[in-house]
Amino acid sequence: MNPPPARDVVTDYHRAWTSGRVEDAMRLVAEDVTCRAPGVDLVGIEAFDRLSFGPPDGGAR
C-alpha cells in the first residue's frame, strides 16, 4: 500500500487543526517530526505537540 501524497496529509492536517480537531491533526504527525518554528527547532512529536500554535479560536485541548 502506498502512502498518501504529502499534499493530502498537509491538507488533512490543516483542516483538522483549524477546525479544533487537534487530536486528529496530531495523528497525522510522524513520531520523529522535525519543525523549525520562530525561535525554536522542535524534534519529536512530544516537542511539536507542546508548541502552542493553536487554531485561530484558541483551540484549548
Side-chain angles (χ1 to χ4, degrees), residues 4-51:
R7 180 184 172 120
D8 292 351
V9 175
V10 171
T11 299
D12 291 347
Y13 175 89
H14 177 72
R15 284 183 181 146
W17 188 263
T18 59
S19 62
R21 295 179 294 114
V22 177
E23 288 80 15
D24 291 342
M26 290 304 295
R27 278 193 277 282
L28 296 167
V29 178
E31 290 289 326
D32 61 348
V33 64
T34 60
C35 177
R36 176 160 282 180
V40 64
D41 290 340
L42 306 167
V43 179
I45 198 165
E46 290 179 11
F48 185 83
D49 191 32
R50 284 192 303 266
L51 185 66

